[in-house]
Amino acid sequence: MRQRVATAVWRVVLAAGLVCGIGLLPWLTQTDPAYTVLKARSAEREPTPEVLADIRAQLGLDGGPLHVLGRWLGGLVRGDAGQSWISGSDVLPDVLRALGASLLLMSVALLVAALTAGIICARTLRLGARRRLGGRRRGGTASAVVASLPEFLVASVLATVVGVQLGWLPALGWYGAQWTVLPALALGMPAGAVIGRLLDDLLPGAFGEPWALAAAARGLPGRRIARQALRRCVPALLPNLGLFVVGLTGGAVAVEQVFDIPGLGRTTLQAALAQDLPVLQAGTLALILLAALATGATRLAARLLTGPALRDGALSSLHRPAPPAGGVLPLVYGVVLLAVVVAGLTRDPLALDTGARLLAPSLDHPFGTDSLGRDLLARVGHGALDTLLLASAVTAAALVAGVLLGLVPRLSAPLVDTVNAVPPVLAALLVTAVAGSGAATPALAVGAVAWAPLAAHTSALLRQERATLHITATRGLGAGRWYLLRRELLPAVLPPVLRHALLRLPGVALALASLGFLGLGAQPPSPEWGLLLAENQPYAERAPWAVLAPAAVLALLGALAVTAAGGLRRPRRRRPDTAVPVGAERTAALRKEPAATR
């Protein structure tokens, strides 16, 4: 009970700190909020001292940031979130309407994600139900490609092709059920590909557990065994599913912009850029409350699905020792990616030729040209080094932080929920306010949120691994915490978390580059891949190769990362050559380890 109270207090402290930090954003960035509000209200009006003084008096800015924050918090206690600094309307109704639109979009996107994950796992479920998983080759190329596709690119392609050219579904607006299909596909397919890959990674272990072998021996239908295997694996992924719920609600900024959806992500983005603090604080607080509800719901669902086995330590490990999976796919993808980069490095990425604008791929320009006549192969090749090196460094740092924080779930779980509730744009603005704008700002902004899914995954896997029978038996023989962590838990958990980190590598590369549009990091004419996608997006209908080329390279990077991660398996331990009693040998080994108090 005391631990639950401490966790709840820690969660409240983090939420209050985030909301207060947002309330101090204009002063942290050393900008005049009155000037920002004036430009958001009317860009043509002159910022004279009299006009700025009048705005300060209207908003109560003369009392300083603490006075403004205290007044907002006082009104919040009474159910009043204040008035918008830009429009003057009540904040709470506007935020609730935006939240309702985002929740509806999130619900449909989750349905799309579930269908996508089911398609990815269908082959494993079918083979497992038939007891034929022994010879299954691990692929993952298609799921890696889908997971690597930028959401705004998928949204633009769907809006242009399905909505405009074919006219099958509406491409703009938010007026009914038909308007949810295309944005839900853009959001749900990449998220479903990530969840599907993680689930597909766990299913073979479930089909190899004793209950599955016994069920097959007794002649139970394969479909029933497959359903139970799915139920066995889902609890380990529910924390990440809860993160997707919040991310799809507040982080769908690009998709909401493309389809003109009045959602919470778009509302918070506009409020952050205009420094409309009441709207920004209310939107962030709504996301924090949603994160707390999603976390509670996923934990309850995990307990219901797992049953008393989690409490009694009666589970089997889903991460058994296995030889690394071989294959030539990683080598093929690596050679192709290296060939593209080397070919691009031999060309000039900044050479302009206005007479060769938006040329189709040819022998002279294998990837075509962009809107300024620059060779796309050259730009992809020259942007690869900075993009890949920085993305790899951020992913490695996020992996280390995620694993370390995942080992202490009572400390990290509220922190994960709070960090995940911050939209990416707002995270970048907060990092800029604290660290300033510079070359390292994009890496700090992305790294500040990239560790959260890995920490949630680590905590979920450790929770289930600690409840396995062999851990219970090893603990009964006298093993301490450090022995269990070093010899049993980390070897079982690290490979799947590392594969998860590699799956997110292309997304990290894209997020780093896309922050350039906030005035952070690389700016045009830099050839970073995310900038290439965004610069050429307006020409996707006339010259699709301009966006397909960098998107294909990102997808190739994702396929390389996922297939290479397939070789990361828990190694088998060597058996002793001499016949030694297992119990005596195990006890002797445990006595050499320092026992910790339990």
Side-chain angles (χ1 to χ4, degrees), residues 560-584:
L560 171 62
V562 171
T563 53
L568 299 172
R569 301 286 155 187
R570 185 178 181 181
R572 296 183 184 272
R573 295 181 180 176
R574 294 183 178 179
R575 295 182 178 179
D577 295 333
T578 58
V580 180
V582 177

Side-chain angles (χ1 to χ4, degrees), residues 150 152-153 510 528-537 547 550-551 554:
F152 72 85
L153 177 62
L510 181 68
E528 280 191 311
W529 290 352
L531 289 178
L532 296 183
L533 281 170
E535 288 174 348
N536 295 308
Q537 180 187 347
V547 293
L554 270 174

Side-chain angles (χ1 to χ4, degrees), residues 263-359:
L264 190 59
R266 186 180 178 189
T267 300
T268 54
L269 169 63
Q270 294 173 349
L273 296 179
Q275 293 189 354
D276 192 353
L277 295 188
V279 177
L280 184 57
Q281 289 170 315
T284 305
L285 186 59
L287 289 174
I288 292 175
L289 294 177
L290 178 63
L293 291 175
T295 300
T298 54
R299 288 182 178 176
L300 178 61
R303 290 184 179 181
L304 293 177
L305 289 174
T306 308
L310 185 65
R311 179 197 61 204
D312 299 337
L315 294 176
S316 297
S317 177
L318 293 175
H319 312 284
R320 299 178 176 182
V328 298
L329 282 179
L331 181 61
V332 173
Y333 295 143
V335 169
V336 173
L337 183 60
L338 181 62
V340 170
V341 172
V342 171
L345 290 175
T346 61
R347 298 166 176 259
D348 186 0
L350 302 178
L352 299 176
D353 185 1
T354 55
R357 297 174 63 250
L358 299 177
L359 290 180

Side-chain angles (χ1 to χ4, degrees), residues 144-189:
V145 169
V146 176
S148 304
L149 290 177
E151 293 174 349
F152 72 85
L153 177 62
V154 178
S156 300
V157 172
L158 290 176
T160 302
V161 177
V162 180
V164 177
Q165 293 182 351
L166 299 178
W168 290 348
L169 291 167
L172 290 176
W174 190 252
Y175 306 106
Q178 291 181 343
W179 279 263
T180 64
V181 177
L182 293 183
L185 287 173
L187 288 172
M189 287 193 299

Side-chain angles (χ1 to χ4, degrees), residues 19-362:
V19 173
C20 293
I22 292 172
L24 301 176
L25 184 60
W27 291 272
L28 291 175
T29 55
Q30 298 181 353
T31 59
D32 186 358
Y35 177 80
T36 307
V37 170
L38 174 64
K39 289 302 179 182
R41 289 179 177 178
S42 175
E44 294 80 12
R45 194 174 181 184
E46 289 293 330
T48 62
E50 293 78 11
V51 172
L52 295 179
D54 182 58
I55 293 178
R56 293 191 189 96
Q58 292 176 10
L59 303 180
L61 298 176
D62 294 331
L66 295 181
H67 171 74
V68 174
L69 183 60
R71 187 179 61 181
W72 183 81
L73 290 175
L76 191 64
V77 174
R78 302 188 300 270
D80 180 15
Q83 285 75 38
S84 169
W85 287 2
I86 307 302
S87 64
S89 61
D90 290 338
V91 168
L92 195 56
D94 294 339
V95 170
L96 290 179
R97 279 193 295 269
L99 178 62
S102 293
L103 289 177
L104 176 59
L105 176 60
M106 177 268 295
S107 302
V108 184
L110 284 180
L111 179 60
V112 174
L115 293 175
T116 305
I119 293 173
I120 291 173
C121 299
R123 181 170 179 265
T124 302
L125 288 171
R126 185 175 66 254
L127 294 178
R130 299 175 181 178
R131 313 302 305 166
R132 296 179 182 178
L133 272 177
R136 185 184 78 113
R137 293 184 179 180
R138 291 187 174 271
T141 302
S143 59
V145 169
V146 176
S148 304
L149 290 177
E151 293 174 349
F152 72 85
L153 177 62
V154 178
S156 300
V157 172
L158 290 176
T160 302
V161 177
V162 180
V164 177
Q165 293 182 351
L166 299 178
W168 290 348
L169 291 167
L172 290 176
W174 190 252
Y175 306 106
Q178 291 181 343
W179 279 263
T180 64
V181 177
L182 293 183
L185 287 173
L187 288 172
M189 287 193 299
V194 175
I195 292 293
R197 281 298 309 165
L198 298 179
L199 182 59
D200 192 66
D201 191 47
L202 295 176
L203 282 172
F207 280 114
E209 289 183 341
W211 67 265
L213 301 176
R218 290 182 61 87
L220 266 68
R223 291 183 178 179
R224 186 174 179 182
I225 298 176
R227 285 198 301 268
Q228 294 301 321
L230 196 61
R231 177 180 177 178
R232 172 68 179 89
C233 297
V234 165
L237 303 180
L238 284 176
N240 272 280
L241 185 61
L243 298 184
F244 275 116
V245 167
V246 183
L248 293 177
T249 304
V253 180
V255 174
E256 291 177 355
Q257 293 270 29
V258 171
F259 291 100
D260 194 23
I261 299 173
L264 190 59
R266 186 180 178 189
T267 300
T268 54
L269 169 63
Q270 294 173 349
L273 296 179
Q275 293 189 354
D276 192 353
L277 295 188
V279 177
L280 184 57
Q281 289 170 315
T284 305
L285 186 59
L287 289 174
I288 292 175
L289 294 177
L290 178 63
L293 291 175
T295 300
T298 54
R299 288 182 178 176
L300 178 61
R303 290 184 179 181
L304 293 177
L305 289 174
T306 308
L310 185 65
R311 179 197 61 204
D312 299 337
L315 294 176
S316 297
S317 177
L318 293 175
H319 312 284
R320 299 178 176 182
V328 298
L329 282 179
L331 181 61
V332 173
Y333 295 143
V335 169
V336 173
L337 183 60
L338 181 62
V340 170
V341 172
V342 171
L345 290 175
T346 61
R347 298 166 176 259
D348 186 0
L350 302 178
L352 299 176
D353 185 1
T354 55
R357 297 174 63 250
L358 299 177
L359 290 180
S362 62

